[in-house]
Amino acid sequence: MSILEVSGLRKVYSSRFGGNKVEALKNVNFSVEKGEYAVIMGESGSGKTTLLNILAALDKPTGGSVILDGLNLAKIKESAIAQFRRDNLGFVFQDFNLLDTFTLEDNIFLPLVLSGTPYREMQDRLRPIAAKLGIPGILKKYPYEVSGGQKQRAAVARAMITDPKIILADEPTGALDSRSTDDLLKLFGDVNMLGHTILMVTHSVKAASSAGRVLFIKDGEVYHQLYRGADSREQFYQRISDTLTILATGGDAE
């Protein structure tokens, strides 16, 4: 069952005076199944950031549609967009997007506070998530008092606490060292095993190899995709790497 359906998606940007037009997305079509862990890869300028912004309801397409759990994002009123994002989408960013003046706990609670959730319910929701992510002991600390890996765990908790339809991750390992990257990728696998749907945008072959499927975007279109299947992570890593090499040199991936 598809939780996300993207059909005929186009995005055209015009210059300030309308003289030049840039087609960032041409004809993007794909779906993500409920409970799937999928990755989008592509070179800089391929359109993946534009695509992520549209999926996050931060930008509107020129044409086509994005359907999340049966709801067409284009039909959401501008006044309801912020609440839609809080209720349906979880976000994990490269730079964590944590507020330094809030404790980690308060950062995690923020989307629930904005939704008017009672404090006791917020605590009840956080307790099992914090235990799963291994962060109960640092919840009262501030972001500047913990490591990058711990910050990202708090960011993942914030993404999970609203029980979103889908978690969107934008280069989540980009600011982490090798050990913290390994920890986070294991964490993403565990979160996915709990039933959460994850769609990650990344340049990292290592990060992509932790997923079940990789979609490659080139020149504003989904050019190719790979399923992990029965591959080990090392085998999938090699297939992804080989595909990126072929796409970069102008060949046809099979």
Side-chain angles (χ1 to χ4, degrees), residues 147-210:
S147 69
Q150 289 171 323
K151 289 179 189 176
Q152 199 59 295
R153 284 174 177 263
V156 172
R158 182 184 57 195
M160 292 173 62
I161 201 161
T162 59
D163 194 23
K165 300 287 197 318
I166 188 168
I167 294 175
L168 300 175
D170 185 10
E171 298 285 1
T173 63
L176 302 179
D177 60 29
S178 180
R179 180 176 177 179
S180 294
T181 291
D182 289 340
D183 288 345
L184 183 67
L185 293 177
K186 182 182 183 305
L187 187 61
F188 265 70
D190 292 343
V191 168
N192 177 240
M193 289 293 289
L194 291 173
H196 289 278
T197 307
I198 301 173
L199 182 61
M200 180 195 299
V201 169
T202 185
H203 282 97
S204 167
V205 178
K206 183 177 186 177
S209 65
S210 67

Side-chain angles (χ1 to χ4, degrees), residues 80-146:
I81 283 288
Q83 182 176 345
F84 167 81
R85 283 196 291 265
R86 285 198 304 270
D87 293 345
N88 295 279
L89 305 174
F91 297 97
V92 181
F93 303 95
Q94 177 176 337
D95 57 359
F96 319 122
N97 278 27
L98 298 173
L99 300 174
D100 276 339
T101 53
F102 284 18
T103 64
L104 295 181
E105 182 178 67
D106 288 339
N107 269 284
I108 295 166
F109 283 160
L110 190 56
L112 297 181
V113 171
L114 294 172
S115 297
T117 306
Y119 184 65
R120 184 177 293 277
E121 182 181 339
M122 291 193 290
Q123 289 181 309
D124 289 344
R125 286 199 195 189
L126 177 57
R127 201 171 294 112
I129 293 173
K132 183 65 182 177
L133 303 187
I135 58 172
I138 61 170
L139 290 174
K140 299 301 183 182
K141 292 182 179 290
Y142 290 85
Y144 55 82
E145 295 179 308
V146 301

